[in-house]
Amino acid sequence: METQSLQDFQDLCNFESFKSFWHYYGYGVDQQELIDREFKRIKGVTYLDHAGTTLFPESQIKGFYDDISRNVYGNPHSHNPSSRLTHDTVESVRYRILEHFNTCPEEYSVIFTSGCTAALKLVADTFPWKAASNEGPGSQFCYLTDNHTSVVGIRSVTSLQGVGRVSVLPHEVETRAKKPPTQTNGEEECSVPHLFCYPAQSNFSGRKYPLSYVKGIQSQQLYPACEHRGRWFVLLDAACFVSCSPLDLSQYPADFVPISFYKMFGFPTGLGALLVKNEAAEILRKTYFGGGTAAAYLVAENFFVPKPNVVSRFEDGTVSFLDIISLHHGFETLRKLTGSMLNIQLHTFGLARYTYIVLSCLCHDNGKPVAQIHCDNDFHNIAEQGAILNFSLLDCHGQTVGYSQVDKMASLFNIHIRTGCFCNTGACQHYLAISNQNVKSNLHAGHICGDNIDLIEGRPTGSIRVSFGYMSSFEDCQNFLRFVVNCFVHKPLILDQERLTKLKSAKPMESVESYDVPSIPNGHLGHENGHVNIPSPERITPSENTVSEEGKNNGSRHTLTNLFIYPVKSCGSFEVTEWPLGPQGLLYDRLWMVVNENGVCLSQKREPKLCLIHPVICLASNTLQLQVSGMEAVTVPLETSLANSDLRTSQSKVCGDRVQTVDCGEEVSAWLSEFLGKPCRLIRQRPEFLRDMKFGRGKAGDCGPTALSLVNEAQFLLINRASVSFLQEHIASRHDSENEGTWHDMEQLIQRFRANLVISGQEAFAEDDWSHLTVGDTQFQVIGRCGRCQVIGIDQKSATRTQEPLRSLSECRSGKVTFGVYLAHQSARNTTAVPVLSVGACVIPQISESTDKP
């Protein structure tokens, strides 16, 4: 009998046996290979405290180290280049966080805090609690008894303000639900704010509470919201849940979602966030104000106006920006190693389920169970249970073995577990049958939270918890179960075969529909008229230009002399003789851009070498080719289907605007990284994403709403050759002009201004006074002047920086640094025809009634 039971146990500890319980394991590569590559430091360690903190992989730290080694990150409250890089990178991380939880900046804001507890305290301190009075009822602070200490601690804030408090047993949310109170005729609508807090997953037992509670409470369909009129808000404590499970806030829009990032990535510690629904953020009332939160204030008067942005109002002082930047590497490494949170959920739940089944079937020689499992289910449904197993070990007489004894013994075997009450007194009392009086008497006996007093008068004061992470392996389960059998089973071991058969025969519910992040709808990147039925324009040389040099400088009439598109933002131009217009400007103009490893746009200000990359578009073959001298060209398709699962979608920022993009793949990323000498990627604007022009918003007159690509300000930029000639003469008149020889080349000077349309003209800067113009048969509206920056000081042929022509432009224009005008195509969004611009077309301007243009 002893030999048979031991053999049965050994068979259970076989990987093939595990696979019979659960089909999902690993991430397409050998799990041990992943551990050997990324987690060498845990060799010989069985780490089972992932609910306390998970472990960071080596590549995540290396990626972060390489990032901060090659980039200069300044204080984001400044405006110098290093500070702007920090600001843009931090904003990119905010987008990445929202994307991870399947929501967007229009719905949620990410407020960085020092951790989940700080995020909870922020809500406690700023929620508009209302005390009960003769005028009406007050706010209610309600929370599940199965909540972390940091949630329950909110009551210390509310009790001082006369706010009602309701602790809710888990089963009461549904069993006490009833029809919400109705509003009688003539009765004013009650707007008293109430807050209900519950965990998406218990940090004690791993029990997952229905995410549907979010809408159920908000709509006052569930208890306790159904008993109190007013406006109900939901705080969903997701710190434990999101470490191994996907959370979709578009489906379950909790008002406040606190998280800690070390639970997800292992690094950095001391950084968390409050994801706050923008509608809910409007009700929060903050009193203290710190650096960076003020729009204006006075020292001598009690005058203070906060910044309008939600994030700016609540992030006092300088955020921990390097830690925030490291989050990008956490997300990226997690994606590369596991593929998705769904994969992590399936992997970790399988390990927890297997451990539960085996542990719950272990018996002493007298048939008494070895363990008492503290849970509310049989680990049958992945939507109800996380990757946590909480239990107490029992001796052969049915008495509890003190958790401190188990912890010390586990340490001898290098097995890392967690013991105690896990900062969740409510759950601990429930599962261990500890009464309120027991808690008080235990305190009187000298027991406090976190100490090693595990038994008082034979009653346990806490329990044992093992928890799994994405790098956990079947060997971890083996080591733990063998440890229990070797150290705590009164031999000979007996397996509860009846229970084992029952649990093995129960088909687990693997569906996680309520947690799935919806896949991005299939789409086709690019304009629907991407394959325009016109001759394919080719890159031209001066000899191919249909306008003669005499025509270019003929002041008797305006003529379109050059036509440039810039397919990749900040890269070189692609000159054509004719080109179709799309809904966002010239077709394919600035639809792509290069971003660094953190998803921040690279411009020539940060990387002048971008101008040496020459894009070539071929409409006939539907390709974009990038060329650089000395390297083999790389090609990407103009139209890329999002159905390609290898492509990643993301969000980035252009001139303060959020843009939705799709990644163009590894080949072009490697090509760009090799040329620029730093990790970077090529991304493309998503076709369904509409970005409205903000330049001159409200002043565009008959232009109406205008869609933009990845341009800075407007669809088109026009410059006048007469203006270029005037500036060229001014530069030549300076005896100290640097690189003097280059200014004699009109075409090189034109390239510096990166215009789409270049026209001939008689009078310098006459374009400043135009309100409209017609090019051939196509009408445009002039919407403003183009303010210039140091980019025009970059020689587009050599990528070297110079002070000219910015210095001379400022001098000859009396301090103004505008050059060229922005245009909008009046029917770009709604036209059914496809307008085509051609070099040599006549340009007819209309003078503005007022020359006082912006």
Side-chain angles (χ1 to χ4, degrees), residues 538-539 568 571-574 609-617 624-635 668 671-672 675:
E538 303 291 343
R539 180 179 292 279
V568 183
C571 290
S573 63
F574 176 54
K609 287 176 63 177
L610 286 170
C611 70
L612 303 180
I613 300 174
H614 298 290
V616 177
I617 285 181
L624 166 68
Q625 187 178 80
L626 303 184
Q627 302 175 351
V628 166
S629 177
M631 288 182 64
E632 185 176 345
V634 66
T635 301
V668 68
W671 188 90
L672 288 167
F675 174 66

Side-chain angles (χ1 to χ4, degrees), residues 827-849:
S827 57
R829 270 193 185 174
N830 302 316
T831 183
T832 55
V834 180
V836 176
L837 294 184
S838 300
V839 169
C842 181
V843 178
I844 304 174
Q846 179 179 334
I847 305 299
S848 173
E849 295 180 1

Side-chain angles (χ1 to χ4, degrees), residues 47-78:
Y47 185 83
L48 294 172
D49 189 24
H50 293 274
T53 180
T54 194
L55 304 176
F56 57 80
E58 293 180 17
S59 59
Q60 175 185 342
I61 304 303
K62 183 180 185 302
F64 176 48
Y65 171 78
D66 291 343
D67 184 352
I68 60 178
S69 296
R70 61 175 159 257
N71 292 301
V72 179
Y73 291 111
N75 189 310
H77 289 168
S78 301

Side-chain angles (χ1 to χ4, degrees), residues 74-85 87 307 606 790:
N75 189 310
H77 289 168
S78 301
H79 294 283
N80 58 64
S82 60
S83 298
R84 294 307 304 172
L85 177 61
H87 175 271
K307 287 185 175 177
R606 292 175 178 158
Q790 63 264 38

